[in-house]
Amino acid sequence: MLVLVINSGSSSLKYQVRDTAGGEELTSGLVERIGDTAGGHPADHQEAIDRVFADLEEELGGRGIDAVGHRVVHGGERFAEPVLIDFEITRAIERLSPLAPLHNPAAVAGIRAIQGRWPKTPQVAVFDTAFHRTIPEHAWRYAVPDALYKEQGVRRYGFHGTSHDFVTGRAAGLLGIERERFRAVVAHLGNGASVTAVRGGRSVDTSMGYTPLEGLVMGTRSGDLDPSIITQLIMRGEYTAEDLDRILNQDSGLKGLAGTNDMRAVVEAAAAGDDAAELALAVAAYRLQKYIGGYHVAVGGAQAIVFTAGIGENSWQFRLRVAEGLGALGVALDPMANLARSREPRIISAPDSAIPVLVVPTDEEAEIARATAELAGRADG
Ligand code: AMP
């Protein structure tokens, strides 16, 4: 089955075509700066999709798309798994927009554009939040008045679920442990970063919360901080809510501490003696170590610590730094295995490490394509 995977951001649209029979990627592309018509870019998502159609016609030489899978950031409390999209589902995704104001409207625009062009092609929504719907209430509740939850939806949702789910399955397979019995701590470390506690193969806690701002130190996001920082700065009249939203999401994290959100540049600068870069690495590694320790307890003793995404898969320096702080858990890396480069899932811990440490490359598009083919196939049959 030929599946078109669409990831609509607020001003960009990434796409990939996968043949789910063999799993290979046939073509992919990126439409950028949607809304920036001055630069000749598409005016809206409908126009962006039109460009994708034009590209596909050229690249696929007449082979038709059988189904479309959309990455949807927010599925709220309703969606615990991928769903076949219809009118009502599209509206439900739209109604969740207050929880993901930049992302859900973009996904809806993409869904409608496809519906307009290919009304008969099945479309599937795969939610970033869905994997975390198994988190127990004591972990997803914030200790705030009930009205904030009931009236405003203030609770922990968690994100990167498609990646955490995919990587959990791969890691269990690599270790030969049945997924239903698998306990692990999975660290997705990309430009956005989150860590998930996995018990019985399911998410039981995760570091991102109401929004993707909470938790780890990220490329440009602060992760955890004292909420009073925000209220105090606003009450003192020093900053507006909009200023702080921008600062904490776009100017913080590695970028705030070291001046760049590119982990390669931070690692290189630290090695060259840059104190700010060294501090950024120390703060980021320490934050992750605290989460790993906490989640080791949450899962009842992890059988694996798993690294994935851009930094987790590629930065042996950052993995080493994190692992060095996990001595109390009996974790020890095999230095050569940690250095080795590969696209394959692999174990990088020493044979006598109390907990195996793994690197498992993530592939969100493959997982979205797989889920899409499964649901579209069911709808057909
Ligand atoms: P992602 O969001 O998963 O694409 O990850 C992006 C992050 O991965 C950026 O911070 C990159 O600097 C980082 N990254 C990619 N390749 C490497 C590498 N070889 N070494 C260190 N960091 C890397």
Side-chain angles (χ1 to χ4, degrees), residues 133-148:
R133 290 288 289 108
T134 49
I135 294 176
E137 184 165 2
H138 65 260
W140 62 250
R141 273 280 188 160
Y142 292 112
V144 295
D146 204 37
L148 287 187

PDB file of all heavy atoms in Angstrom, residues 133-148:
ATOM      1  N   ARG A 133      -1.988   7.906  26.941  1.00  0.00           N
ATOM      2  CA  ARG A 133      -3.309   7.817  27.558  1.00  0.00           C
ATOM      3  C   ARG A 133      -3.369   6.720  28.627  1.00  0.00           C
ATOM      4  O   ARG A 133      -4.331   6.638  29.381  1.00  0.00           O
ATOM      5  CB  ARG A 133      -4.385   7.580  26.487  1.00  0.00           C
ATOM      6  CG  ARG A 133      -4.626   8.781  25.586  1.00  0.00           C
ATOM      7  CD  ARG A 133      -5.356   9.919  26.289  1.00  0.00           C
ATOM      8  NE  ARG A 133      -6.758   9.566  26.545  1.00  0.00           N
ATOM      9  CZ  ARG A 133      -7.264   9.286  27.704  1.00  0.00           C
ATOM     10  NH1 ARG A 133      -6.502   9.313  28.773  1.00  0.00           N
ATOM     11  NH2 ARG A 133      -8.518   8.981  27.830  1.00  0.00           N
ATOM     12  N   THR A 134      -2.334   5.892  28.718  1.00  0.00           N
ATOM     13  CA  THR A 134      -2.314   4.846  29.751  1.00  0.00           C
ATOM     14  C   THR A 134      -1.674   5.326  31.059  1.00  0.00           C
ATOM     15  O   THR A 134      -1.568   4.561  32.017  1.00  0.00           O
ATOM     16  CB  THR A 134      -1.537   3.615  29.238  1.00  0.00           C
ATOM     17  OG1 THR A 134      -0.284   4.067  28.700  1.00  0.00           O
ATOM     18  CG2 THR A 134      -2.307   2.883  28.148  1.00  0.00           C
ATOM     19  N   ILE A 135      -1.210   6.572  31.082  1.00  0.00           N
ATOM     20  CA  ILE A 135      -0.606   7.101  32.319  1.00  0.00           C
ATOM     21  C   ILE A 135      -1.672   7.152  33.417  1.00  0.00           C
ATOM     22  O   ILE A 135      -2.782   7.633  33.172  1.00  0.00           O
ATOM     23  CB  ILE A 135      -0.013   8.512  32.057  1.00  0.00           C
ATOM     24  CG1 ILE A 135       1.170   8.406  31.088  1.00  0.00           C
ATOM     25  CG2 ILE A 135       0.416   9.186  33.357  1.00  0.00           C
ATOM     26  CD1 ILE A 135       1.764   9.747  30.694  1.00  0.00           C
ATOM     27  N   PRO A 136      -1.368   6.634  34.614  1.00  0.00           N
ATOM     28  CA  PRO A 136      -2.380   6.657  35.682  1.00  0.00           C
ATOM     29  C   PRO A 136      -2.628   8.081  36.197  1.00  0.00           C
ATOM     30  O   PRO A 136      -1.769   8.947  36.089  1.00  0.00           O
ATOM     31  CB  PRO A 136      -1.755   5.780  36.774  1.00  0.00           C
ATOM     32  CG  PRO A 136      -0.297   5.791  36.514  1.00  0.00           C
ATOM     33  CD  PRO A 136      -0.116   5.985  35.037  1.00  0.00           C
ATOM     34  N   GLU A 137      -3.811   8.262  36.770  1.00  0.00           N
ATOM     35  CA  GLU A 137      -4.217   9.623  37.148  1.00  0.00           C
ATOM     36  C   GLU A 137      -3.258  10.273  38.134  1.00  0.00           C
ATOM     37  O   GLU A 137      -3.007  11.480  38.057  1.00  0.00           O
ATOM     38  CB  GLU A 137      -5.641   9.608  37.727  1.00  0.00           C
ATOM     39  CG  GLU A 137      -6.139  11.018  38.030  1.00  0.00           C
ATOM     40  CD  GLU A 137      -7.632  11.106  38.259  1.00  0.00           C
ATOM     41  OE1 GLU A 137      -8.301  10.050  38.228  1.00  0.00           O
ATOM     42  OE2 GLU A 137      -8.119  12.232  38.470  1.00  0.00           O
ATOM     43  N   HIS A 138      -2.692   9.479  39.059  1.00  0.00           N
ATOM     44  CA  HIS A 138      -1.792  10.125  40.037  1.00  0.00           C
ATOM     45  C   HIS A 138      -0.555  10.710  39.355  1.00  0.00           C
ATOM     46  O   HIS A 138       0.117  11.567  39.904  1.00  0.00           O
ATOM     47  CB  HIS A 138      -1.390   9.156  41.152  1.00  0.00           C
ATOM     48  CG  HIS A 138      -0.568   7.992  40.701  1.00  0.00           C
ATOM     49  ND1 HIS A 138      -1.095   6.739  40.486  1.00  0.00           N
ATOM     50  CD2 HIS A 138       0.735   7.886  40.402  1.00  0.00           C
ATOM     51  CE1 HIS A 138      -0.144   5.918  40.083  1.00  0.00           C
ATOM     52  NE2 HIS A 138       0.971   6.590  40.012  1.00  0.00           N
ATOM     53  N   ALA A 139      -0.265  10.242  38.141  1.00  0.00           N
ATOM     54  CA  ALA A 139       0.883  10.785  37.411  1.00  0.00           C
ATOM     55  C   ALA A 139       0.482  11.921  36.470  1.00  0.00           C
ATOM     56  O   ALA A 139       1.289  12.799  36.177  1.00  0.00           O
ATOM     57  CB  ALA A 139       1.586   9.674  36.633  1.00  0.00           C
ATOM     58  N   TRP A 140      -0.750  11.886  35.964  1.00  0.00           N
ATOM     59  CA  TRP A 140      -1.125  12.972  35.032  1.00  0.00           C
ATOM     60  C   TRP A 140      -1.772  14.162  35.687  1.00  0.00           C
ATOM     61  O   TRP A 140      -1.899  15.223  35.096  1.00  0.00           O
ATOM     62  CB  TRP A 140      -1.914  12.495  33.833  1.00  0.00           C
ATOM     63  CG  TRP A 140      -3.270  11.839  33.997  1.00  0.00           C
ATOM     64  CD1 TRP A 140      -3.551  10.520  33.767  1.00  0.00           C
ATOM     65  CD2 TRP A 140      -4.529  12.443  34.327  1.00  0.00           C
ATOM     66  NE1 TRP A 140      -4.881  10.272  33.957  1.00  0.00           N
ATOM     67  CE2 TRP A 140      -5.511  11.435  34.297  1.00  0.00           C
ATOM     68  CE3 TRP A 140      -4.923  13.752  34.646  1.00  0.00           C
ATOM     69  CZ2 TRP A 140      -6.859  11.662  34.585  1.00  0.00           C
ATOM     70  CZ3 TRP A 140      -6.270  13.997  34.938  1.00  0.00           C
ATOM     71  CH2 TRP A 140      -7.221  12.953  34.904  1.00  0.00           C
ATOM     72  N   ARG A 141      -2.190  14.044  36.947  1.00  0.00           N
ATOM     73  CA  ARG A 141      -2.810  15.177  37.636  1.00  0.00           C
ATOM     74  C   ARG A 141      -1.746  16.156  38.127  1.00  0.00           C
ATOM     75  O   ARG A 141      -0.739  15.745  38.675  1.00  0.00           O
ATOM     76  CB  ARG A 141      -3.545  14.673  38.876  1.00  0.00           C
ATOM     77  CG  ARG A 141      -4.944  14.234  38.610  1.00  0.00           C
ATOM     78  CD  ARG A 141      -5.861  15.420  38.536  1.00  0.00           C
ATOM     79  NE  ARG A 141      -7.242  14.921  38.474  1.00  0.00           N
ATOM     80  CZ  ARG A 141      -8.306  15.652  38.789  1.00  0.00           C
ATOM     81  NH1 ARG A 141      -8.172  16.891  39.194  1.00  0.00           N
ATOM     82  NH2 ARG A 141      -9.503  15.139  38.704  1.00  0.00           N
ATOM     83  N   TYR A 142      -2.000  17.432  37.969  1.00  0.00           N
ATOM     84  CA  TYR A 142      -1.219  18.451  38.672  1.00  0.00           C
ATOM     85  C   TYR A 142      -1.960  18.748  39.974  1.00  0.00           C
ATOM     86  O   TYR A 142      -3.193  18.637  40.033  1.00  0.00           O
ATOM     87  CB  TYR A 142      -1.125  19.741  37.854  1.00  0.00           C
ATOM     88  CG  TYR A 142      -0.310  19.619  36.579  1.00  0.00           C
ATOM     89  CD1 TYR A 142      -0.912  19.700  35.322  1.00  0.00           C
ATOM     90  CD2 TYR A 142       1.072  19.456  36.626  1.00  0.00           C
ATOM     91  CE1 TYR A 142      -0.171  19.615  34.155  1.00  0.00           C
ATOM     92  CE2 TYR A 142       1.824  19.370  35.456  1.00  0.00           C
ATOM     93  CZ  TYR A 142       1.202  19.446  34.228  1.00  0.00           C
ATOM     94  OH  TYR A 142       1.929  19.363  33.076  1.00  0.00           O
ATOM     95  N   ALA A 143      -1.222  19.124  41.009  1.00  0.00           N
ATOM     96  CA  ALA A 143      -1.853  19.401  42.302  1.00  0.00           C
ATOM     97  C   ALA A 143      -2.395  20.823  42.328  1.00  0.00           C
ATOM     98  O   ALA A 143      -1.874  21.716  43.013  1.00  0.00           O
ATOM     99  CB  ALA A 143      -0.840  19.170  43.429  1.00  0.00           C
ATOM    100  N   VAL A 144      -3.438  21.041  41.537  1.00  0.00           N
ATOM    101  CA  VAL A 144      -4.079  22.367  41.444  1.00  0.00           C
ATOM    102  C   VAL A 144      -5.580  22.166  41.640  1.00  0.00           C
ATOM    103  O   VAL A 144      -6.062  21.028  41.572  1.00  0.00           O
ATOM    104  CB  VAL A 144      -3.796  23.026  40.071  1.00  0.00           C
ATOM    105  CG1 VAL A 144      -2.307  23.315  39.923  1.00  0.00           C
ATOM    106  CG2 VAL A 144      -4.288  22.146  38.920  1.00  0.00           C
ATOM    107  N   PRO A 145      -6.332  23.257  41.879  1.00  0.00           N
ATOM    108  CA  PRO A 145      -7.781  23.087  42.087  1.00  0.00           C
ATOM    109  C   PRO A 145      -8.435  22.339  40.918  1.00  0.00           C
ATOM    110  O   PRO A 145      -8.054  22.514  39.756  1.00  0.00           O
ATOM    111  CB  PRO A 145      -8.295  24.524  42.171  1.00  0.00           C
ATOM    112  CG  PRO A 145      -7.115  25.307  42.645  1.00  0.00           C
ATOM    113  CD  PRO A 145      -5.912  24.659  42.037  1.00  0.00           C
ATOM    114  N   ASP A 146      -9.406  21.528  41.287  1.00  0.00           N
ATOM    115  CA  ASP A 146     -10.099  20.666  40.335  1.00  0.00           C
ATOM    116  C   ASP A 146     -10.643  21.428  39.123  1.00  0.00           C
ATOM    117  O   ASP A 146     -10.653  20.919  38.003  1.00  0.00           O
ATOM    118  CB  ASP A 146     -11.260  19.989  41.083  1.00  0.00           C
ATOM    119  CG  ASP A 146     -11.667  18.697  40.401  1.00  0.00           C
ATOM    120  OD1 ASP A 146     -10.762  17.991  39.903  1.00  0.00           O
ATOM    121  OD2 ASP A 146     -12.874  18.421  40.339  1.00  0.00           O
ATOM    122  N   ALA A 147     -11.079  22.685  39.356  1.00  0.00           N
ATOM    123  CA  ALA A 147     -11.676  23.472  38.269  1.00  0.00           C
ATOM    124  C   ALA A 147     -10.683  23.664  37.118  1.00  0.00           C
ATOM    125  O   ALA A 147     -11.078  23.701  35.958  1.00  0.00           O
ATOM    126  CB  ALA A 147     -12.144  24.826  38.795  1.00  0.00           C
ATOM    127  N   LEU A 148      -9.415  23.780  37.439  1.00  0.00           N
ATOM    128  CA  LEU A 148      -8.433  23.978  36.371  1.00  0.00           C
ATOM    129  C   LEU A 148      -8.394  22.767  35.450  1.00  0.00           C
ATOM    130  O   LEU A 148      -8.195  22.895  34.251  1.00  0.00           O
ATOM    131  CB  LEU A 148      -7.033  24.239  36.947  1.00  0.00           C
ATOM    132  CG  LEU A 148      -6.813  25.609  37.574  1.00  0.00           C
ATOM    133  CD1 LEU A 148      -5.342  25.789  37.956  1.00  0.00           C
ATOM    134  CD2 LEU A 148      -7.219  26.710  36.609  1.00  0.00           C
TER     135      LEU A 148
END
